[in-house]
Amino acid sequence: MARMRTARRILVGGAALAAAGWALREVPAELGVRPLTSGPDRAARIRRSPQFRDGAFVNTMPEQTTLVSRPPVGVLGELAKDKEQRRPAGLVPLRVPPTDPPPADGVRAVWYGHASTLVEIEGKRVLFDPVWSRRPSPSQLVGPKRHHPVPVELGELPEVDAIAISHDHYDHLDLATIRSLTRTQKAPFLVPLGIGAHLERWGVPAYRIIELDWDEEAQVAGLRFVATAARHFSGRTFARNDTLWGSWVVAGRNRRVFYAGDSGYFEGYRGIGSAHGPFDLTLMPIGAYSPAWPDVHMNPEEAVNAHLDLGGKLLLPVHWATFTLALHPWAEPVDRLWREAKARDVRIAVPRPGEAVDVSAAPTVEGWWEMLH
């Protein structure tokens, strides 16, 4: 019997090691590529960029962007307490996304969770920062897990006309999702400068990659895409800022949408609004803020400020609800946003994951999350 138990333990341990090895096999690819080593043409473009100095991309807005180099006093204690408040108390309600054609002249959005959002503008579909994996991490063995499923499988997505990425952090750029979209979709990937090196390593054909510096633009499917500034940083390893980060303006003949990506608040939103707005819809990040990184993630009140600076008509909050990436309670971002929006008479829509929002007839806010905290 003892011999059988030992043999069983060996078998179980071997199976666990094999499973771990299988799960870790993609880690080298997940880490991406140093773009300066990915070819002379891309390296030359990077070195010419006004955002590239002393071997790295930088924020060129006058405010200094900093990250706290060590955890604030007491942060370990904060991590250990109130953990239950940092996830929903029940099941996040999902909706089945619509399958009808996009409105020919309007704007409609489907938020899938976190930052992943499908925007339909003047009959075309743009997919922003798609992440379908269970964890935003270089390994699916570690990292924050989803609080809710994605409301639609990747293979069930409608045909999209463009896929736009804001930066290369794991919660915005996901290897498994990119590989799947490369197989199942034909759309080009629009990315900030340098990120094309990651995509090429992951099997995206070069002809499907459009890399832009800030203030550069491209025409795709009759839409004008402009890469605009953000106040953030990049990196999939300990080396930071090898690739550029940014936001996106998507303009049709009459309709305009702004996607902020990840960003701290900065005065440049007024300039973006003046140059490219007003916007029928802004997608603004409201979660994962902290006193430890005030310059790289805006809080809900700052998201409202930025929306107004941009000349936005309807604000749809993203970057909340799906992954726990900061210490604040799960629903605090949207509670604060709703309070600020009412105080300043700002139109917002807070859809459930999978729920479509028609900008011309946005539903009233229902407070569906209030039962979950």
Side-chain angles (χ1 to χ4, degrees), residues 140-164:
Q140 291 302 297
L141 295 177
V142 296
K145 291 187 292 187
R146 283 184 172 274
H147 296 313
H148 64 82
V150 185
V152 63
E153 295 299 323
L154 265 177
E156 298 172 1
L157 283 180
E159 184 174 348
V160 302
D161 296 282
I163 302 162

Side-chain angles (χ1 to χ4, degrees), residues 343-365:
R344 302 179 70 177
D345 197 25
V346 168
R347 288 180 65 224
I348 67 171
V350 186
R352 300 157 180 82
E355 185 176 1
V357 173
D358 189 320
V359 171
S360 63
T364 57
V365 179

Side-chain angles (χ1 to χ4, degrees), residues 186-214:
K186 298 177 181 179
F189 294 83
L190 293 108
V191 298
L193 192 55
I195 293 179
H198 298 328
L199 301 191
E200 286 176 355
R201 179 174 183 181
W202 299 345
V204 181
Y207 69 85
R208 287 182 62 181
I209 301 171
I210 301 172
E211 284 182 84
L212 299 179
D213 202 346
W214 290 353

Side-chain angles (χ1 to χ4, degrees), residues 235-248:
R236 297 177 74 83
T237 65
F238 293 111
R240 280 188 178 148
N241 301 344
D242 278 353
T243 63
L244 187 58
W245 49 94
S247 55
W248 288 101

